[in-house]
Amino acid sequence: MGRSPHEGHGTRNPDALIRRAGVRADPNRDQHFLVDDRVVDRIPEYGTEMDFSHVLEIGGGPGVLTDRLLAVADRVTVVERDRKFADFLRREFADDCEDGRLTVVEGDALNVELPDFTACVANLPYGISSEITFRLLPLGKPMLLMFQQEFAERMAGEAGTDDYGRLSVTAQHYADVEVVEIVPREAFSPAPEVSSAIVRTTPRNPDYEVDDEEFFLDFVKAVFTQRRKTIRNAIRNTVHISGLDDGDAVVDALENPDTDVLPEDILRKRAGNVTPAQFAAMTRVADEYGRGGG
């Protein structure tokens, strides 16, 4: 499970690594190096229940987190799109590359073929955080990921709160989501404009059934585009997004929902007050009455 510390790892100084890499972080390219070694040291500790036999890291940069991961994992695969950083990682961790404990894949994490990893731990480039997260979540692996704080809190948001939205429903469809630490701007160099947060995701099956996952996610997306409107109006106004053929038929069917999951006033609610299980129940009704003529 990759728990015993590997000799010579986990102690490299972040500033020294960055100096040896000889590459300046470019905030215009979404590069902010994590330099607070106390934060870096804590990240793997949030994954004590995870299987670290093969850890995937997205965006290794100068290897600050890579060093900590090699201390606790049996194998690490780093996906790094910047050639200079990829070359540096291979030099800095040459022994680990040689003995098969570290693999550096040069390429875009949104497109490259990903290995069969057991856990993902990464300080993500914020510009692709949403896209890469939703590439990873359906794979059903535990993850520790660094996000902008607002994004992290929206991922973990609960129905009825200001943070709750499409991101919350979609992320929590695949996993339990916890914000485990808020990371101040000063932990990075150069400092980003906002605080960050470490998120832990634990895969699980949702406590509701969905027959057509793609339609479910499209339906949630559609309704949240009109989150200030009632569900009644949101369904009618977004058929071009949800893929419904007949929004009115769905609304009519939801006037008297034939399920204990949906309250009688569901059409008067707004998206921010509808639970994931209620979205799933509405999707089943929408599928039955609003697609293909019902």
Side-chain angles (χ1 to χ4, degrees):
M1 297 282 284
R3 284 289 148 212
S4 58
H6 289 273
E7 187 176 348
H9 292 105
T11 57
R12 282 175 170 85
N13 178 275
D15 293 318
L17 273 170
I18 293 166
R19 281 197 303 274
R20 284 202 292 276
V23 181
R24 287 180 178 273
D26 183 355
N28 293 324
R29 295 183 60 202
D30 216 17
Q31 291 176 341
H32 301 275
F33 298 148
L34 185 57
V35 293
D36 188 328
D37 50 10
R38 295 166 300 178
V39 177
V40 188
D41 290 343
R42 281 196 295 270
I43 292 176
E45 295 175 4
Y46 292 119
T48 52
E49 300 300 314
M50 295 181 183
D51 179 356
F52 275 3
S53 54
H54 187 183
V55 174
L56 173 67
E57 182 187 4
I58 306 294
V64 175
L65 181 56
T66 310
D67 177 55
R68 273 43 174 190
L69 294 177
L70 284 166
V72 296
D74 295 329
R75 292 173 58 208
V76 177
T77 295
V78 179
V79 178
E80 173 56 63
R81 70 178 183 180
D82 188 310
R83 174 166 294 177
K84 290 179 180 177
F85 283 130
D87 288 344
F88 171 72
L89 291 171
R90 294 187 184 105
R91 291 195 310 273
E92 177 70 24
F93 301 101
D95 291 345
D96 299 290
C97 292
E98 193 170 326
D99 67 17
R101 292 195 57 239
L102 176 64
T103 303
V104 180
V105 177
E106 185 182 324
D108 189 330
L110 296 175
N111 302 316
V112 299
E113 184 177 345
L114 298 175
D116 185 18
F117 63 96
T118 59
C120 179
V121 185
N123 174 19
L124 292 176
Y126 292 152
I128 64 163
S129 53
S130 180
E131 291 173 278
I132 191 62
T133 300
F134 287 108
R135 183 178 186 196
L136 295 171
L137 275 170
L139 301 179
K141 308 292 186 182
M143 300 190 289
L144 285 168
L145 302 174
M146 183 90 74
F147 297 105
Q148 289 184 346
Q149 182 179 350
E150 181 187 3
F151 186 93
E153 290 176 343
R154 283 166 46 215
M155 272 185 76
E158 297 182 9
T161 66
D162 290 341
D163 291 324
Y164 184 72
R166 173 196 171 197
L167 177 61
S168 320
V169 178
T170 309
Q172 293 168 39
H173 177 66
Y174 297 106
D176 286 324
V177 181
E178 307 165 80
V179 176
V180 294
E181 181 175 335
I182 304 300
V183 181
R185 300 169 54 245
E186 297 73 28
F188 298 86
S189 176
E193 294 182 1
V194 296
S195 298
S196 300
I198 302 167
V199 169
R200 178 170 55 209
T201 71
T202 306
R204 55 143 177 79
N205 292 320
D207 58 358
Y208 51 80
E209 289 186 16
V210 170
D211 294 327
D212 184 336
E213 188 171 79
E214 185 177 359
F215 177 56
F216 167 72
L217 297 175
D218 284 345
F219 184 83
V220 170
K221 173 184 177 182
V223 172
F224 269 109
T225 62
Q226 302 216 331
R227 63 179 301 149
R228 298 187 187 284
K229 306 245 184 222
T230 62
I231 294 296
R232 180 193 308 276
N233 290 329
I235 290 174
R236 284 175 169 157
N237 295 344
T238 60
V239 293
H240 59 294
I241 300 173
S242 63
L244 287 171
D245 298 311
D246 190 343
D248 289 329
V250 176
V251 169
D252 290 344
L254 288 171
E255 287 284 2
N256 296 292
D258 185 23
T259 170
D260 294 336
V261 179
L262 293 174
E264 290 185 5
D265 66 345
I266 187 65
L267 290 172
R268 295 197 296 276
K269 289 181 176 288
R270 286 170 174 75
N273 292 310
V274 176
T275 67
Q278 290 169 346
F279 270 113
M282 282 199 294
T283 303
R284 287 194 292 275
V285 173
D287 193 14
E288 181 178 354
Y289 292 96
R291 299 172 85 195

